[in-house]
Amino acid sequence: MAYRINKEIINRNKINKDGIHKVSIIKTAFKIFTAATMLLLFLPPSDVWADTEDTSQTEYFTGQISGIDEYSASQLWDNNSMTYFKGNSIDITISSDKKFTAAYLVWNTIPGAYTITSSSNEKYSIEDGFLHKLVEFDNPADSFRLKCPDGVELCDLYLFSGENYPDFVQRWEAPCRQADILVLSAHADDEYLMFGGTIPYYAKERGLKVQVAYLTTHFDEQPRPHELLNGLWTAGVKNYPVFGVIGDIPLKPIHSLEEADALYDLDMVLEWFVAQIRIFKPSVIVTHDINGEYGHGAHMLAAKTVQDAVAVSADSSYFPDSANKYGVWDVPKTYLHFWEENKIVMDWEQPLDSFGGLTARDAAELAYNEHKSQHKWGFIVGYWEQYDIRRFGLYRTLVGVDEKADFMDHIEPVKVIEETTTPEAETQTSYETSEGDETAIPKETSPATDASETAKAPTPSKKQPENQSKPAAGIVIIAAITAAIAIIAAVGIIIKIIKKKAPDRKK
């Protein structure tokens, strides 16, 4: 009897212990669930949703093309700028089973005026001459007609149904109406190899108006024009570059101004650059070493052109056509690479917030990496001898010598000229290609803004669509945690029950 009583007490104690264990599991599960819920509710949104926000980019897609043969059509969808459709004119219709809101066109050569008419009856007349052109429709469409009466070379087409475009898509703005800094680069890639962090630091980090001009053109040296645009976009430039009136001759390097004079019309080059000064009215010009860095004659020509141009750009008797059209301009500050007077050494090693902590030199190197066809020459963005990207001298100034190593020292950023509110189709037609060269210039220029005026904050980029998936993501997280805890608790209880019953089965 006593034995039976003691056994019942022992069994009852076992049951109580099992019950206490079950309660303990449930309490622990509840605490974990509560803590997870509180974390989701009270942490700042940027922390809570950092891993769940939908940051995926809009994928491009293809469609059908009528108006050209199948092989030519396939070249427009192959994502390869080295292949292209060439014709005396173009009149094609692009259609898709999926609605799209934008089309991205990559031209092989500067296109003439062309029109795009969408299935939603929107017509865009485009004359800006951009090689990489994003056309955004006001309303979704399932087809559009592309007409260009002049000779064309079209590389690629991309269609998009959203605004979160892949990184390769470039939304170029027209060349500056007035520039803080005008960079004259002899060739595409010199803007990084010689001037280092100038473009990424001033264009993106400080949000200034940086206009890039190239002395030579590379339109007969594919894929260099595409590399040029890819590099500038990577460096943070938003305003489309302009191009000079002479071609590069890669197989015939020039080593002196005399050789340059024998190849090019130097008066025509000077006239072109004086016009650029009068168009862009820069506060600062930055260009090459008078000795051509490592002795390159085109670099020497760029430096000599700037020296001569800043001496006459304010005098209307020199090149009166551009003076009458754009007005005259006296450049406040002019810098030459390695100039021996009023020397400054730029610091390109400070981390830049706009590049995620990369330095200006790092950013310049990223941009130079886009010039893949030029990597065979072995150049790198660095700090030694003829390639030192930090060393400049103030060649000419209207505002005194520098007190610190800053191209904008003693200069206030120009005031951003207000754009009149016009439909996108109209803003796309506000630039034309001037006769006699391949430089995109404004049809009309606004009066010059005084360089001492304070700049407004940079215009923000087009707002991306709000992410609509955050609330759903939170519910999924809570549900997943709850389910996991419930499963763990259930498994624990089942194991305890099995253990409790196992001795009885043995007996």
Side-chain angles (χ1 to χ4, degrees):
M1 182 69 178
Y3 172 78
R4 186 170 61 252
I5 293 173
N6 290 339
K7 186 176 180 180
E8 289 175 357
I9 293 173
I10 292 170
N11 290 336
R12 188 163 60 247
N13 288 340
K14 283 184 178 180
I15 293 173
N16 289 340
K17 288 178 181 178
D18 289 340
I20 291 171
H21 190 68
K22 293 173 189 175
V23 171
S24 176
I25 292 175
I26 294 171
K27 285 183 176 180
T28 301
F30 181 77
K31 289 178 180 178
I32 295 173
F33 174 77
T34 302
T37 303
M38 296 294 287
L39 179 66
L40 291 168
L41 290 176
F42 293 104
L43 277 179
S46 61
D47 294 328
V48 174
W49 309 114
D51 295 328
T52 61
E53 183 176 358
D54 182 11
T55 58
S56 61
Q57 295 176 330
T58 301
E59 293 293 332
Y60 67 86
F61 54 92
T62 61
Q64 300 78 42
I65 301 178
S66 61
I68 55 176
D69 62 85
E70 184 176 348
Y71 175 73
S72 297
S74 68
Q75 291 182 313
L76 301 184
W77 299 124
D78 65 2
N79 191 25
N80 181 1
S81 63
M82 294 299 290
T83 63
Y84 53 89
F85 163 73
K86 182 176 182 178
N88 294 326
S89 63
I90 190 169
D91 186 353
I92 60 176
T93 298
I94 296 91
S95 59
S96 174
D97 296 334
K98 183 178 179 180
K99 292 278 188 179
F100 50 85
T101 56
Y104 189 56
L105 288 71
V106 178
W107 300 90
N108 192 54
T109 55
I110 295 177
Y114 59 97
T115 60
I116 287 179
T117 306
S118 74
S119 58
S120 54
N121 295 320
E122 299 169 19
K123 185 173 182 178
Y124 301 85
S125 299
I126 303 171
E127 303 178 19
D128 52 28
F130 294 175
L131 285 184
H132 298 176
K133 181 66 180 181
L134 178 67
V135 180
E136 296 177 287
F137 304 121
D138 292 332
N139 298 292
D142 55 19
S143 68
F144 70 89
R145 185 179 183 183
L146 171 63
K147 293 184 66 177
C148 184
D150 301 323
V152 294
E153 294 181 7
L154 181 60
C155 298
D156 291 302
L157 281 169
Y158 305 85
L159 303 177
F160 299 97
S161 60
E163 294 182 343
N164 192 21
Y165 304 115
D167 292 339
F168 72 83
V169 175
Q170 301 160 12
R171 186 190 276 117
W172 287 104
E173 299 173 13
C176 296
R177 293 200 175 188
Q178 186 173 0
D180 291 297
I181 299 177
L182 174 58
V183 175
L184 178 61
S185 179
H187 308 94
D189 74 7
D190 288 333
E191 65 272 41
Y192 314 112
L193 294 174
M194 306 304 156
F195 312 144
T198 299
I199 293 175
Y201 174 69
Y202 286 101
K204 190 168 185 179
E205 182 71 4
R206 290 181 58 171
L208 301 182
K209 291 288 187 180
V210 175
Q211 180 64 51
V212 181
Y214 294 93
L215 180 68
T216 57
T217 64
H218 297 285
F219 294 109
D220 57 349
E221 299 177 69
Q222 299 296 349
R224 294 194 73 179
H226 302 295
E227 294 173 343
L228 176 156
L229 292 174
N230 296 341
L232 290 179
W233 192 258
T234 299
V237 174
K238 301 301 180 187
N239 296 99
Y240 201 77
V242 296
F243 306 96
V245 291
I246 60 175
D248 186 27
I249 308 177
L251 299 180
K252 184 177 176 58
I254 51 180
H255 303 289
S256 67
L257 282 175
E258 290 73 23
E259 290 183 20
D261 190 21
L263 288 171
Y264 305 123
D265 183 343
L266 301 193
D267 288 336
M268 181 179 67
V269 174
L270 177 60
E271 181 177 8
W272 167 77
F273 194 65
V274 168
Q276 305 314 302
I277 291 175
R278 290 169 174 172
I279 291 169
F280 300 121
K281 299 175 171 57
S283 297
V284 177
I285 291 177
V286 177
T287 196
H288 287 275
D289 169 32
I290 58 171
N291 296 313
E293 277 86 18
Y294 53 94
H296 198 302
H299 298 196
M300 299 177 195
L301 177 57
K304 182 65 165 59
T305 298
V306 168
Q307 287 177 309
D308 293 344
V310 296
V312 302
S313 60
D315 188 340
S316 61
S317 66
Y318 287 88
F319 311 113
D321 288 346
S322 64
N324 293 334
K325 190 171 184 178
Y326 308 113
V328 297
W329 185 254
D330 203 1
V331 181
K333 296 175 74 177
T334 302
Y335 288 90
L336 302 180
H337 197 201
F338 294 126
W339 185 249
E340 287 297 323
E341 299 177 21
N342 305 315
K343 293 188 288 186
I344 60 173
V345 178
M346 304 298 289
D347 182 3
W348 302 134
E349 293 300 327
Q350 295 301 313
L352 307 181
D353 293 338
S354 59
F355 286 93
L358 295 178
T359 67
R361 190 200 67 81
D362 292 335
E365 191 169 46
L366 283 178
Y368 174 65
N369 285 342
E370 295 294 333
H371 293 258
K372 294 179 174 56
S373 68
Q374 301 306 295
H375 293 173
K376 61 187 176 184
W377 303 113
F379 293 116
I380 63 173
V381 181
Y383 294 139
W384 59 93
E385 296 182 0
Q386 306 102 316
Y387 305 96
D388 194 330
I389 59 176
R390 301 168 297 179
R391 302 185 183 280
F392 296 85
L394 182 58
Y395 166 73
R396 182 176 182 271
T397 177
L398 306 179
V399 295
V401 298
D402 293 330
E403 296 179 6
K404 57 183 177 181
D406 180 4
F407 293 147
M408 295 295 290
D409 193 26
H410 301 308
I411 297 285
E412 289 293 330
V414 297
K415 184 178 180 180
V416 177
I417 299 175
E418 292 290 345
E419 300 285 348
T420 56
T421 304
T422 56
E424 178 67 16
E426 292 183 16
T427 61
Q428 290 175 334
T429 64
S430 61
Y431 288 80
E432 64 182 358
T433 302
S434 65
E435 296 181 2
D437 62 34
E438 296 173 315
T439 304
I441 59 175
K443 287 183 177 177
E444 296 180 3
T445 56
S446 300
T449 304
D450 190 272
S452 64
E453 292 184 285
T454 304
K456 292 184 178 180
T459 304
S461 59
K462 190 170 184 178
K463 187 178 180 181
Q464 299 294 339
E466 292 293 335
N467 188 335
Q468 301 296 327
S469 64
K470 290 183 179 179
I475 293 172
V476 170
I477 292 174
I478 294 174
I481 293 174
T482 303
I485 292 173
I487 292 171
I488 293 171
V491 170
I493 292 172
I494 291 170
I495 291 173
K496 281 294 181 181
I497 292 173
I498 292 172
K499 286 183 177 179
K500 178 173 77 69
K501 291 184 176 182
D504 293 335
R505 286 198 300 270
K506 287 181 181 180
K507 183 174 71 174

